[in-house]
Amino acid sequence: MGKITGFLEFDRKVESYTPVKERVQNFKEFTVPLKEKEIKDQGARCMDCGIPFCHSGCPLGNLIPDFNDAVYKGKWEKAAEILHATNNFPEFTGRLCPAPCEEACVLGINEDPVSIENIEKNIVETAFNNGWVLAEPPEFRTEKKIAVVGSGPAGLAAAQQLNRAGHWVTVFERDEKAGGLLRYGIPDFKMEKHIIDRRLEVLEEEGIRFKFGVEVGKDIKADTLKKEYDAIVLCGGATIRRKLPIKGSDLKGVVQAMDFLSQNNRRVDGLPYEGEDILATNKNVVVIGGGDTGSDCIGTSIRQGATSVSNFEILGKASEQRTEDQPWPFWPMRLRTSSSHKEGAHRFFSISTKEFIGDEQGRLKGLITVNVEWENIPGKRPVLKEIEGTEKEWPCELVLLAMGFTGSEMTIAEQLGLEADVRTNIKASIKDYSTNVPGVFVAGDQRRGQSLIVWAISEGRQAAHHIDSYLMGESNLPLKGEGDLPRL
Ligand SMILES: Cc1cc2nc3c(=O)[nH]c(=O)nc-3n(C[C@H](O)[C@H](O)[C@H](O)COP(=O)(O)OP(=O)(O)OC[C@H]3O[C@@H](n4cnc5c(N)ncnc54)[C@H](O)[C@@H]3O)c2cc1C
Ligand code: SF4
């Protein structure tokens, strides 16, 4: 283990942010890196507690105490090897993961947890800066052909693992660049897109082929793909957006968050986009939905120069601290405040939007809300109740609907005869990610519903192991927590 008294000597420290006034002038990342000594001290805080609950908190089973120890000792290259043994893309999770590992950290029971996510980011950035992230093409090829549909984190992780096993992997992506929601959903201020490009260069050098601008199900039928490839893994994400079908929802100015965010990311990247400009500039903006997507809409609106930004959440305001009914080491549903929330948004909880109001030209000019409360009935789902006399009218020229996704698109499922659940997530055995059609597998948001990057990478890796076994009878690709740990 690292420094025995580290957790007593050093307080938790993570990267700081540049001042709000400065950072909202552009869409660049705005973290201020720690010095090397500070990061090593953070690694030293890991207690190597014997039963590392952080492993179970991380869906990838990252070998956290091992890389913390390596960082503390300044063995950065070893730390990078340990990290990559379980995580294909730590530069994504090191920036964007909500870090369930930190909620499960033993030190977190009565102290601030180890800053695992930030250590992870520093390890991978050191590795890239020193040229240690190199292509690892397989030593032999099996001549089996695999089609990966979708190039989000699930598809990229599955592709890299399957390529490592020696199969010929082709990734089909309907967009013109790879990354899925990493590129066309998550704003640049959370992750600049050259971070994805840098990793893609490595994947291409390893021999993975990409076919962009190809929508499977439309440009190439799924059954044709099935005939041409030995296995298919579907990683198309959960793309069906939840709607708010109330009066006025067809007014100009009521916009789906993903239309707004993807257009902005395209604009920042100099890529073309369809439809009219959707801009928050000089508008009173209301973001409906309090999750990650809502938070990204807030940061983007502020950077576009919105007059005001309000955020409505239908659920009540959660406690900032872990409550008794959500004990350690489980992931607690507590109030999370993002960097975007702190850039000038006004947050409102227990509030429901009843109607959008338009002018004579059909443009949004306001909306009506009502305060709500949730009645808990034992054994049943909580019931939403409006509070009488709390209706309020708000001026607003742009509404961004950020209420999540309800499921995945069904075209491929219909063409292949795949079973789906009521939410249109494609059904697959959790044991081996196989669908009801032999040779067709599914991973990431398209299987589990709207989720997290770390889960997408994890599912892509797990699915790859089972596809390799399906094709070859056995597999050396690691399962969760079976990273090939290098010797320190
Ligand atoms: C705005 C926003 C912010 C988020 N922020 C975070 C965050 O900070 N941290 C976090 O952990 N998670 C975050 N998430 C969730 C995270 O992005 C997703 O869970 C993750 O990207 C899912 O990965 P995936 O590979 O399953 O699918 P996706 O990333 O959705 O990728 C699916 C890909 O498949 C392609 N595709 C779909 N159908 C076809 C087809 N028929 N043919 C060819 N290609 C196809 C799509 O074009 C897309 O590129 C956020 C989500 C959103 C929307
Ligand atoms: S991927 Fe996420 S959960 Fe896993 S160690 Fe990194 S920050 Fe923690």
Side-chain angles (χ1 to χ4, degrees):
M1 93 172 251
K3 192 166 193 189
I4 294 174
T5 53
F7 68 100
L8 297 170
E9 285 175 47
F10 308 113
D11 289 335
R12 176 184 162 101
K13 195 166 186 187
V14 289
E15 292 176 336
S16 58
Y17 299 147
T18 56
V20 172
K21 267 194 181 165
E22 241 173 67
R23 70 188 194 229
V24 300
Q25 302 301 319
N26 58 57
F27 286 90
K28 292 190 186 328
E29 289 181 23
F30 50 82
T31 49
V32 183
L34 297 180
K35 297 192 179 71
E36 187 180 352
K37 162 80 171 71
E38 292 174 310
I39 305 158
K40 286 162 102 175
D41 290 348
Q42 292 304 304
R45 290 187 75 233
C46 180
M47 302 189 293
D48 197 9
C49 48
I51 301 176
F53 282 83
C54 52
H55 280 198
S56 57
C58 173
L60 288 161
N62 272 354
L63 304 163
I64 297 163
D66 298 278
F67 66 60
N68 282 337
D69 185 52
V71 165
Y72 165 61
K73 290 176 177 154
K75 296 182 176 181
W76 289 95
E77 198 168 354
K78 277 288 173 227
E81 275 181 61
I82 297 167
L83 185 53
H84 279 104
T86 53
N87 187 352
N88 300 64
F89 313 122
E91 65 276 29
F92 305 158
T93 48
R95 286 174 168 77
L96 300 164
C97 190
C101 55
E102 293 184 14
E103 296 287 0
C105 172
V106 173
L107 190 54
I109 297 174
N110 60 346
E111 286 281 342
D112 288 333
V114 175
S115 51
I116 301 165
E117 185 193 10
N118 200 222
I119 291 174
E120 187 171 325
K121 178 181 169 190
N122 278 283
I123 295 171
V124 67
E125 289 308 314
T126 306
F128 270 108
N129 291 340
N130 284 286
W132 300 330
V133 183
L134 298 171
E136 293 171 36
E139 283 170 14
F140 66 95
R141 287 285 175 188
T142 63
E143 300 310 325
K144 300 278 185 198
K145 287 167 61 194
I146 300 169
V148 177
V149 182
S151 67
L156 293 180
Q160 189 170 41
Q161 294 298 96
L162 288 163
N163 186 65
R164 280 179 180 161
H167 308 303
W168 288 112
V169 179
T170 306
V171 180
F172 292 84
E173 171 54 59
R174 66 180 164 202
D175 281 324
E176 67 271 63
K177 289 191 183 184
L181 290 173
L182 298 173
R183 189 179 298 275
Y184 296 110
I186 293 168
D188 285 61
F189 58 79
K190 271 170 64 178
M191 185 171 76
E192 291 175 17
K193 305 313 166 204
H194 62 86
I195 301 294
I196 310 173
D197 298 334
R198 170 177 83 171
R199 182 63 76 169
L200 288 172
E201 278 174 29
V202 177
L203 300 193
E204 276 174 327
E205 215 182 313
E206 288 178 347
I208 298 169
R209 298 158 190 184
F210 288 89
K211 291 199 174 180
F212 294 115
V214 182
E215 180 164 350
V216 176
K218 196 173 129 200
D219 302 316
I220 174 166
K221 289 268 184 300
D223 26 8
T224 311
L225 209 64
K226 175 99 178 66
K227 282 186 204 123
E228 289 176 5
Y229 287 82
D230 297 295
I232 301 179
V233 53
L234 302 174
C235 301
T239 47
I240 309 294
R241 301 119 180 226
R242 184 167 282 116
K243 296 188 177 126
L244 186 57
I246 56 172
K247 195 172 167 207
S249 56
D250 54 350
L251 288 167
K252 195 166 166 355
V254 180
V255 174
Q256 276 287 345
M258 280 308 298
D259 290 336
F260 174 69
L261 292 174
S262 67
Q263 186 186 96
N264 193 71
N265 284 11
R266 285 176 169 278
R267 195 180 293 118
V268 171
D269 201 12
L271 293 171
Y273 49 84
E274 284 173 9
E276 287 179 27
D277 282 347
I278 312 165
L279 289 167
T281 320
N282 300 327
K283 290 182 185 149
N284 296 297
V285 179
V286 171
V287 178
I288 300 182
D292 271 339
T293 310
S295 163
D296 291 348
C297 287
I298 293 170
T300 304
S301 299
I302 289 171
R303 279 162 183 74
Q304 288 186 358
T307 308
S308 71
V309 183
S310 303
N311 186 202
F312 294 171
E313 170 57 58
I314 200 163
L315 297 175
K317 189 173 181 179
S319 158
E320 284 186 37
Q321 302 305 327
R322 196 186 270 286
T323 50
E324 271 182 16
D325 56 338
Q326 308 184 90
W328 176 91
F330 297 108
W331 174 255
M333 299 306 290
R334 57 184 175 80
L335 183 70
R336 288 168 208 274
T337 301
S338 71
S339 56
S340 293
H341 290 130
K342 292 180 183 163
E343 288 169 358
H346 304 282
R347 299 171 84 181
F348 300 88
F349 296 88
S350 305
I351 189 165
S352 172
T353 307
K354 293 198 64 142
E355 181 184 337
F356 299 116
I357 309 163
D359 63 14
E360 293 82 45
Q361 279 84 43
R363 286 179 311 217
L364 178 75
K365 65 169 192 182
L367 55 78
I368 295 172
T369 61
V370 64
N371 294 350
V372 294
E373 59 190 357
W374 291 89
E375 194 185 338
N376 285 317
I377 304 163
K380 293 196 175 157
R381 301 183 94 181
V383 177
L384 182 71
K385 289 199 158 174
E386 294 186 359
I387 303 173
E388 237 179 80
T390 60
E391 276 85 3
K392 184 175 169 180
E393 189 173 329
W394 306 66
C396 133
E397 299 83 41
L398 179 65
V399 158
L400 299 170
L401 302 173
M403 299 169 304
F405 301 83
T406 56
S408 74
E409 292 159 44
M410 283 291 96
T411 316
I412 297 176
E414 281 158 15
Q415 289 176 3
L416 290 176
L418 301 176
E419 286 171 8
D421 67 15
V422 281
R423 300 177 67 113
T424 67
N425 300 316
I426 294 182
K427 272 194 194 170
S429 153
I430 187 64
K431 257 177 38 208
D432 62 6
Y433 296 81
S434 64
T435 65
N436 58 308
V437 175
V440 181
F441 297 77
V442 57
D445 281 9
Q446 193 160 22
R447 191 197 71 77
R448 59 186 291 118
Q450 176 192 3
S451 185
L452 295 172
I453 294 158
V454 64
W455 271 113
I457 300 173
S458 172
E459 292 217 351
R461 289 173 66 87
Q462 308 286 309
H465 171 97
H466 294 294
I467 295 165
D468 189 30
S469 291
Y470 164 80
L471 294 173
M472 310 303 290
E474 58 180 4
S475 176
N476 288 328
L477 292 175
L479 283 167
K480 183 186 167 186
E482 287 183 357
D484 194 10
L485 183 62
R487 297 184 79 77
L488 281 179

